[in-house]
Amino acid sequence: MSELNKIALKILSNNKGILAADESNGTMTKRLDSVNVPSNPENRLLFRETLFSAESMKNCIGGVILYDETIKQSSNSKKTIPELISSFGAVPGIKVDTGAKVLAGSTEEKITEGLDGLRERLQIYYKLGARFTKWRGVYNISDKYPSKLSINSNAHALARYSALVQECGMVPIVEPEVLMDGNHSAEICLEKTSEVIKKCFEEFMIHNIDLSGIILKPNMILGGTNSNKKISSEEVARLTLKCLKENVPSDVPGIAFLSGGQTEIEATENLNLINKYNDTNFIMTYSYGRALQQSALKFWSRDINNIDGTQKVFNHRANMCTLAAQGKWSVELEAK
Ligand code: 13P
């Protein structure tokens, strides 16, 4: 077993999932604005440290994705944030892309940047305690999109990123996110997501990526948010499994889904059914941002010093997601 494979399994085993707390300062400011809390380094740290020291960190969370600001901050207990996360047995990770920018040649689409100077930044993050990383490519669906240019250039960037990360002894999370926005059907989402993922693995072959040392973070197969044809969670699970079985090589140890604007309950229920019907060798778990943090953020915003109460709300979500990672979640347990 390679060292990279060991790190991937440490993050994903025992039905654990990943807490994606890597919102950039811009995104975190939007989240805090929405609950009327001033966005400053102290408040961003207070909310995040509240989650990172919750009880469920021990049994539910295998890895935490951090943002550049947070990985350099220290907790109340004087531990650095990576030390705090490691003290619960979870692995600290770091978002290393510098965001999705307008794609020259197809200006309604995006290309994710951040390759320049990446090798040097990775070495710094490794010294700060990170053992895995994240890079998000983003694709939109319409009649013409995603274009071949967007599919090829984002796959190429994800492969170059993955090669650099593995060279530095860390596990790359590879996140090709096909957005939910639009009125497309789930069948179209299946077709486009399959094309995107297939191209990523073609590039990974060319760039000699050790597939046993990556984690794939895809979207689930869903109808567009404005689609008038709603599909059941059973159907989401069936189509998502079909997409992954057909396009992901079996050497990949695990798949950790993004929640991508689904409600907390939708993201949990869909993951639950994916696991109930999982007939692959892949570990299927969560790497949720909004679907793990939304209720906790709302609760916290009413009294930012109510640490215990906020942690209770977060613990419940993390416990529900971890049950879903075993196909053991139910509406009754959710309501308890
Ligand atoms: P969401 O679960 O809110 O989609 O966030 C996951 C993530 O890491 C996006 O890059």
Side-chain angles (χ1 to χ4, degrees):
M1 191 191 286
S2 72
E3 282 307 310
L4 293 174
N5 183 243
K6 274 192 210 156
I7 298 172
L9 290 178
K10 180 165 185 212
I11 297 168
L12 303 172
S13 296
N14 302 318
N15 312 307
K16 289 184 179 180
I18 298 169
L19 167 59
D22 61 321
E23 298 85 359
S24 65
N25 285 349
T27 303
M28 198 58 191
T29 297
K30 274 191 219 145
R31 303 265 192 272
L32 291 174
D33 281 353
S34 76
V35 293
N36 298 316
V37 175
S39 180
N40 53 44
E42 296 74 33
N43 284 345
R44 292 193 285 267
L45 176 63
L46 179 59
F47 177 64
R48 285 167 166 158
E49 192 182 344
T50 300
L51 306 189
F52 302 164
S53 38
E55 182 66 24
S56 54
M57 283 291 298
K58 281 187 211 144
N59 298 322
C60 301
I61 305 297
V64 179
I65 319 175
L66 299 168
Y67 181 60
D68 181 73
E69 174 181 83
T70 326
I71 199 170
K72 295 169 180 164
Q73 286 174 317
S74 284
S75 70
N76 241 341
S77 61
K78 302 282 176 283
K79 288 187 177 109
T80 66
I81 291 297
E83 283 166 357
L84 175 68
I85 290 166
S86 304
S87 72
F88 286 98
V91 182
I94 179 79
K95 181 227 296 292
V96 300
D97 67 66
T98 54
K101 308 285 159 62
V102 172
L103 174 60
S106 181
T107 51
E108 285 178 56
E109 297 185 285
K110 300 267 176 73
I111 178 72
T112 301
E113 295 188 346
L115 289 170
D116 288 351
L118 181 58
R119 181 180 271 130
E120 292 73 25
R121 285 196 292 127
L122 291 172
Q123 286 159 3
I124 295 169
Y125 288 137
Y126 188 95
K127 282 200 191 114
L128 289 169
R131 290 298 175 268
F132 75 102
T133 64
K134 186 190 101 172
W135 180 289
R136 172 174 174 262
V138 52
Y139 311 81
N140 37 330
I141 297 184
S142 74
D143 296 349
K144 318 183 264 188
Y145 303 135
S147 65
K148 283 263 171 296
L149 176 60
S150 146
I151 293 174
N152 292 353
S153 50
N154 276 297
H156 181 79
L158 278 162
R160 283 188 59 201
Y161 143 79
S162 298
L164 284 163
V165 171
Q166 291 194 333
E167 178 191 271
C168 195
M170 296 190 277
V171 166
I173 290 192
V174 174
E175 182 181 13
E177 176 174 6
V178 180
L179 296 172
M180 284 169 78
D181 308 332
N183 54 13
H184 54 272
S185 65
E187 285 71 25
I188 294 290
C189 177
L190 171 65
E191 187 192 312
K192 302 297 180 190
T193 305
S194 298
E195 214 182 317
V196 162
I197 293 179
K198 189 163 178 257
K199 189 70 198 175
C200 287
F201 284 101
E202 280 172 24
E203 285 290 328
F204 297 166
M205 288 291 289
I206 296 169
H207 290 253
N208 301 317
I209 306 304
D210 168 8
L211 295 184
S212 75
I214 71 164
I215 295 171
L216 178 67
K217 175 164 173 166
N219 50 284
M220 294 177 189
I221 304 300
L222 304 162
T225 19
N226 296 326
S227 157
N228 43 24
K229 201 177 135 222
K230 285 277 159 267
I231 62 164
S232 66
S233 285
E234 304 270 340
E235 194 66 354
V236 171
R238 190 183 70 75
L239 295 175
T240 302
L241 284 164
K242 179 176 162 58
C243 175
L244 299 171
K245 275 196 282 199
E246 288 176 0
N247 297 292
V248 184
S250 59
D251 289 350
V252 173
I255 292 168
F257 294 97
L258 60 97
S259 60
Q262 298 179 77
T263 64
E264 292 178 334
I265 305 292
E266 281 165 356
T268 313
E269 182 170 16
N270 289 338
L271 177 64
N272 188 57
L273 288 175
I274 289 170
N275 274 292
K276 206 160 147 195
Y277 303 130
N278 183 8
D279 54 353
T280 72
N281 290 326
F282 304 126
I283 296 173
M284 300 272 195
T285 188
Y286 56 92
S287 175
Y288 291 165
R290 283 161 288 181
L292 268 178
Q293 299 183 61
Q294 224 155 37
S295 306
L297 181 67
K298 220 168 161 187
F299 186 93
W300 174 76
S301 69
R302 288 189 221 131
D303 173 6
I304 64 171
N305 295 310
N306 187 350
I307 307 295
D308 285 355
T310 305
Q311 289 182 336
K312 244 188 218 148
V313 177
F314 174 68
N315 287 337
H316 183 63
R317 274 274 40 85
N319 282 318
M320 290 303 108
C321 289
T322 283
L323 283 171
Q326 305 160 71
K328 290 183 180 167
W329 172 87
S330 68
V331 179
E332 292 71 32
L333 288 167
E334 180 68 46
K336 269 192 186 164

